[in-house]
Amino acid sequence: MKFEAERDIFAEAVAWTARSLPGRPAAPVLAGLLFEASDRGSVSVSGFDYDTSGRAGITAEVGEPGRLLVHGKLLADIAKSLPDRPVRIVSEGSKVLLSCGSSQFALRTLPVEDYPELPGMPGATGTVAGSDLAKAVAQVAVAAARDDTVPMLTGIRIEIDGDTLTLVSTDRFRLAYRELPWQPDADCPATTALLPAKVMAAAARALAGRDRVTLALDGGQSGAGLIGFASQDHPRGPRQMTSRLLSGEFVKYRSLFASVYATTATVETAPFLAAAKRVSLVAERTSPIRLAFARGTLSLQAGAGDEAQASESVEAVLTGEDTTASFNPAFLLDGLQVIDTPYAQLSFTAPGKPTVLMPRQSLDVPARDDFRYLMLPLKAPRASGAGPA
């Protein structure tokens, strides 16, 4: 195989595809990137770990079509350090020679005949703006479980119903819900799917700059199929990723959404977030941060007894009775950091019930319900003289 490509195009395609490579491959060949050069002036770069795959296509001057497999992480490190000169790739026996300007590398190839066949893209289901998808996934992924003790909880649930795409995740202590508009294919049925949050977050970030991202879903309701993300309008060539879906029945979460709230409190997002960050500095890992709403003020407090303590107050607009609730500091900060409006609204039903955090554009406009972040309150230890209660 022999081809030549522009340095930036080559390096970006290698870096994009290397994202899908496993840290600890189940087989040595899975650490490799597969290059396939055609006689039509194009080269595809692929990575696969049996669960996720990534492909990038680039234009190149192909001198000799062929296939080769080379260690992906090493190649990615090399590619991003190359000078701004055309990159030339030539395979010679069990080695591949890479030259770029005066830089030259000889890398050992992996047995390409042992590389597994990559899954094909499922049929297209619809399209969504890349920036909208990236923002929505970032808002929802924060609530997915970090460990795989219960694999279902590490996923993001996708719900497709007409021209609405809904994303949901939960770790049982909090839940994030986001609706966004999209363009379904004419024959797209209502369906659901559950896929790993890490995979969806990586795909959404990688395709954030694209005008339209195609979602391709196959076998969603059975939990045994694939989901694909693709972009044909990438300035450096087509990009696509696939992932196996997770199995398991997702929690029945809609009953958690109340239609009426006893108390709502609206606070400017930036001051609220800044105060919560400062106060939470003294909170131990399992200690809550206490929020008290009264007389147009939100008081934040953390720490108790002989431990370090902190308190701070910010302005708030309260509707309903004064209320107090305590939350895991990390969960509260995660929710506030993905609020994309000047104001954040917290809505309370009854003690011990989930509190809902929603974005609000202004005090004159109701809170948006297309994003809801639910947190279970915690019991707060009683503090001694740390400031406002």
Side-chain angles (χ1 to χ4, degrees):
M1 187 177 76
K2 184 187 301 183
F3 71 87
E4 185 174 295
E6 292 184 22
R7 182 266 181 193
D8 288 348
I9 292 177
F10 176 82
E12 195 277 337
V14 169
W16 197 92
T17 312
R19 292 187 181 101
S20 63
L21 295 178
R24 296 180 177 179
V29 292
L30 297 182
L33 287 181
L34 177 67
F35 285 79
E36 297 176 285
S38 75
D39 56 7
R40 296 185 297 275
S42 64
V43 176
S44 70
V45 189
S46 308
F48 185 39
D49 69 353
Y50 289 119
D51 290 320
T52 62
S53 73
R55 280 194 184 98
I58 62 173
T59 56
E61 294 182 11
V62 178
E64 183 180 328
R67 304 169 79 233
L68 68 83
L69 188 66
V70 63
H71 196 287
K73 298 291 187 183
L74 175 59
L75 183 62
D77 289 340
I78 292 172
K80 67 183 179 183
S81 68
L82 293 174
D84 189 14
R85 296 288 188 274
V87 178
R88 182 178 173 83
I89 295 288
V90 179
S91 60
E92 289 188 359
S94 62
K95 289 187 177 181
V96 57
L97 306 180
L98 184 156
S99 59
C100 180
S102 61
S103 299
Q104 297 189 36
F105 298 85
L107 306 176
R108 184 173 62 87
T109 59
L110 299 170
V112 68
E113 63 274 9
D114 294 339
Y115 199 72
E117 182 178 355
L118 274 72
M121 279 285 288
T125 307
T127 62
V128 62
S131 59
D132 290 348
L133 180 65
K135 180 182 290 187
V137 172
Q139 289 177 314
V140 171
V142 295
R146 303 296 195 267
D147 64 78
D148 58 1
T149 305
V150 182
M152 178 270 295
L153 297 179
T154 66
I156 292 178
R157 176 179 167 92
I158 295 178
E159 300 176 359
I160 295 172
D161 188 5
D163 59 2
T164 300
L165 184 68
T166 301
L167 308 177
V168 191
S169 69
T170 182
D171 60 7
R172 285 207 179 107
F173 303 102
R174 54 181 169 164
L175 180 143
Y177 172 97
R178 180 72 157 88
E179 290 182 357
L180 68 159
W182 85 315
Q183 295 180 357
D185 280 10
D187 57 350
C188 174
T191 189
T192 64
L194 183 64
L195 71 154
K198 289 182 179 180
V199 173
M200 189 166 189
R205 285 195 303 269
L207 299 172
R210 309 283 63 83
D211 289 337
R212 306 303 299 175
V213 174
T214 297
L215 266 65
L217 188 60
D218 175 34
Q221 291 181 331
S222 69
L226 289 174
I227 188 167
F229 303 86
S231 172
Q232 299 299 322
D233 68 344
H234 196 286
R236 290 174 174 167
R239 301 288 185 266
Q240 71 178 49
M241 294 180 70
T242 66
S243 172
R244 291 190 184 277
L245 298 173
L246 296 172
S247 59
E249 185 176 354
F250 199 73
V251 297
K252 300 185 185 303
Y253 65 89
R254 291 190 179 272
S255 61
L256 300 174
F257 296 156
S259 57
V260 178
Y261 297 99
T263 300
T264 62
T266 303
V267 190
E268 283 191 76
T269 306
F272 188 4
L273 176 59
K277 285 182 176 179
R278 286 189 288 268
V279 172
S280 65
L281 291 174
V282 304
E284 298 294 334
R285 185 175 181 182
T286 58
S287 299
I289 183 169
R290 182 172 180 261
L291 307 182
F293 296 90
R295 299 179 298 280
T297 300
L298 162 60
S299 298
L300 302 90
Q301 186 173 345
D306 296 330
E307 302 298 328
Q309 300 177 40
S311 64
E312 188 167 340
S313 297
V314 295
E315 294 183 357
V317 176
L318 191 67
T319 301
E321 299 293 325
D322 294 355
T323 191
T324 300
S326 298
F327 303 100
N328 178 305
F331 292 179
L332 177 63
L333 293 175
D334 283 346
L336 288 173
Q337 286 171 338
V338 295
I339 293 290
D340 59 355
T341 52
Y343 291 88
Q345 177 178 298
L346 288 98
S347 302
F348 305 86
T349 52
K353 297 295 184 181
T355 296
V356 183
L357 180 64
M358 293 186 289
R360 188 166 181 173
Q361 192 64 38
S362 71
L363 296 177
D364 300 323
V365 178
R368 285 183 6 222
D369 63 0
D370 61 344
F371 173 64
R372 283 172 267 187
Y373 182 83
L374 282 67
M375 299 176 289
L376 285 175
L378 304 175
K379 290 184 178 180
R382 197 166 178 81
S384 56

